[in-house]
Amino acid sequence: MRGKRKIRIAAAVAAALFAVYTVFVYFLVSACLVPSFMDKLNAFEDITRKCYSEQVQTADIQENRTKLLTETGEWLETAERTKIQVRTADGYLLTAAEFPAEAGVEGTGDKWVLLLHGYTGWKEEMYQFACWYHQQGFSVLVPDLRCQGESEGDFIGMGWTDHFDCELWIAHILEQAPEAQIVLHGQSMGAATALLMAGSPEASAHIKAVISDSAYTEAYEMFGDKITEWFHLPAAFFVDSACVMLRLRGGYDLRDASPLRAVAASGIPTLFIHGDEDRMIDVNMSYELFEAAACEKELFIVEGAGHAQAQDKAPDAYYGRIGAFLGRYLQR
């Protein structure tokens, strides 16, 4: 009897520990990937402060950024803009801003760019890029990715659910311009999304080039790094459990979101950009992506730039490099 009692106690303790662990993993996934939960924890503010503290703060970057934002604000005062929405297969309403190309601008035709923001971001962050593309004669589509900005959703997709969602924006573009030449330009998680789209077997033949700015190699690896950095926990112990929880709750596995695998399957010309002082996504990840890419490719490393700061550190070189790259793959 005493032995059976010990077994029952041990089983009860194990069940209680498992329940506590499950609740903690549930909390962990929510704290990293559920914006409504993150709001309750003030996580967005914490992430913003953390990101800012890890950026390079030099006088030239601040000056260039102020200039770019001023130019963007002036452009927005006169640029035609339309709010558009699409609904995903699982019922979420996604929102984007569309800037049609101006008639009479040199190069205007069927050139389109899809601009994709990063983790916990929103479409307005990409308006400075929209300004430049629009001035080059592009029509511009800038979405809020799933459950960020004005778009609905339950979980941040880390590029995986996003690359399916963005096919709806590609379809929208082709409805407007059946002969469209489409560029994908993303930063950070948005860059990962663009690479996953380009490496998909269903990638549209209308996607002619990808601009990958500060992409990571694997969402699984990024999630593990952030568990360690933000919560001071051993990633190896928790990240696999988080993947199981996310599969049950969000319908996808972080291991699915692998830009490194995607670039090996992509045939779409890709320009990889990264700052060499990026403390959020190590510059070596872009080196790895570049080496693994099977497509025509270029690598542009900007000295002295932090995470997604290449355009602020060296705007002329940044946009000059993009313009030259696209000039090789887009028809006038």
Side-chain angles (χ1 to χ4, degrees):
M1 291 292 292
R2 185 175 298 175
K4 290 182 179 180
R5 185 183 178 194
K6 287 182 178 179
I7 292 173
R8 285 197 298 269
I9 292 173
V13 170
L17 290 174
F18 179 76
V20 170
Y21 180 76
T22 300
V23 169
F24 181 74
V25 173
Y26 184 100
F27 170 88
L28 200 61
V29 170
S30 299
C32 294
L33 297 174
V34 181
S36 59
F37 192 85
M38 296 168 78
D39 277 338
K40 295 176 183 177
L41 299 176
N42 293 322
F44 278 123
E45 290 81 359
D46 292 342
I47 290 170
T48 299
R49 284 194 295 270
K50 179 71 173 174
C51 291
Y52 184 82
S53 69
E54 293 184 343
Q55 293 292 62
V56 177
Q57 307 296 339
T58 56
D60 59 337
I61 286 178
Q62 293 174 356
E63 181 179 344
N64 289 333
R65 180 158 184 78
T66 298
K67 181 181 178 183
L68 289 170
L69 292 178
T70 298
E71 292 173 351
T72 301
E74 293 172 351
W75 167 72
L76 283 169
E77 290 178 1
T78 58
E80 180 184 348
R81 180 181 2 172
T82 304
K83 179 178 177 178
I84 58 174
Q85 294 181 310
V86 295
R87 192 170 295 278
T88 66
D90 50 354
Y92 297 118
L93 193 64
L94 307 180
T95 299
E98 181 179 313
F99 300 87
E102 292 184 9
V105 176
E106 183 180 355
T108 298
D110 288 330
K111 296 190 300 183
W112 284 74
V113 61
L114 182 63
L115 293 172
L116 305 173
H117 65 75
Y119 172 74
T120 70
W122 50 88
K123 60 183 176 298
E124 287 78 9
E125 293 180 340
M126 303 302 289
Y127 281 0
Q128 61 176 308
F129 305 100
C131 175
W132 182 83
Y133 277 102
H134 199 250
Q135 292 170 348
Q136 312 310 307
F138 282 77
S139 294
V140 182
L141 191 61
V142 196
D144 281 321
L145 298 179
R146 177 178 289 230
C147 73
Q148 295 165 91
E150 295 182 82
S151 289
E152 297 175 351
D154 291 328
F155 292 88
I156 294 174
M158 296 305 294
W160 182 250
T161 53
D162 307 298
H163 93 287
F164 294 114
D165 291 344
C166 285
E167 293 301 331
L168 297 172
W169 299 124
I170 298 294
H172 170 81
I173 291 172
L174 295 177
E175 288 176 3
Q176 316 305 307
E179 302 302 320
Q181 302 177 79
I182 302 172
V183 175
L184 307 179
H185 182 147
Q187 279 198 318
S188 194
M189 190 184 82
T193 301
L195 295 176
L196 290 167
M197 292 175 70
S200 168
E202 290 78 36
S204 171
H206 291 270
I207 300 173
K208 302 300 182 182
V210 175
I211 309 300
S212 169
D213 185 342
S214 309
Y216 47 77
T217 52
E218 309 276 355
Y220 179 89
E221 182 177 348
M222 284 300 301
F223 192 82
D225 288 346
K226 296 312 173 187
I227 285 177
T228 300
E229 180 182 344
W230 294 344
F231 301 103
H232 308 290
L233 298 170
F237 189 68
F238 287 100
V239 69
D240 286 329
S241 297
C243 284
V244 172
M245 180 66 71
L246 186 58
R247 171 68 72 180
L248 293 172
R249 294 177 62 198
Y252 77 97
D253 191 317
L254 288 168
R255 284 168 290 213
D256 294 333
S258 172
L260 193 63
R261 286 199 304 269
V263 297
S266 173
I268 299 173
T270 301
L271 171 60
F272 297 94
I273 302 173
H274 218 114
D276 72 345
E277 293 190 26
D278 192 332
R279 300 185 186 96
M280 294 183 64
I281 297 177
D282 195 282
V283 64
N284 287 320
M285 289 194 171
S286 273
Y287 282 109
E288 289 182 56
L289 290 165
F290 178 76
E291 290 299 324
C295 56
E296 295 185 52
K297 57 192 176 181
E298 290 185 16
L299 179 64
F300 179 37
I301 304 300
V302 178
E303 295 183 3
H307 184 63
Q309 286 186 302
Q311 76 285 350
D312 297 329
K313 180 65 179 179
D316 292 341
Y318 183 89
Y319 289 112
R321 190 68 175 264
I322 291 173
F325 184 79
L326 297 181
R328 288 193 285 278
Y329 299 107
L330 299 185
Q331 298 177 356
R332 288 194 175 273

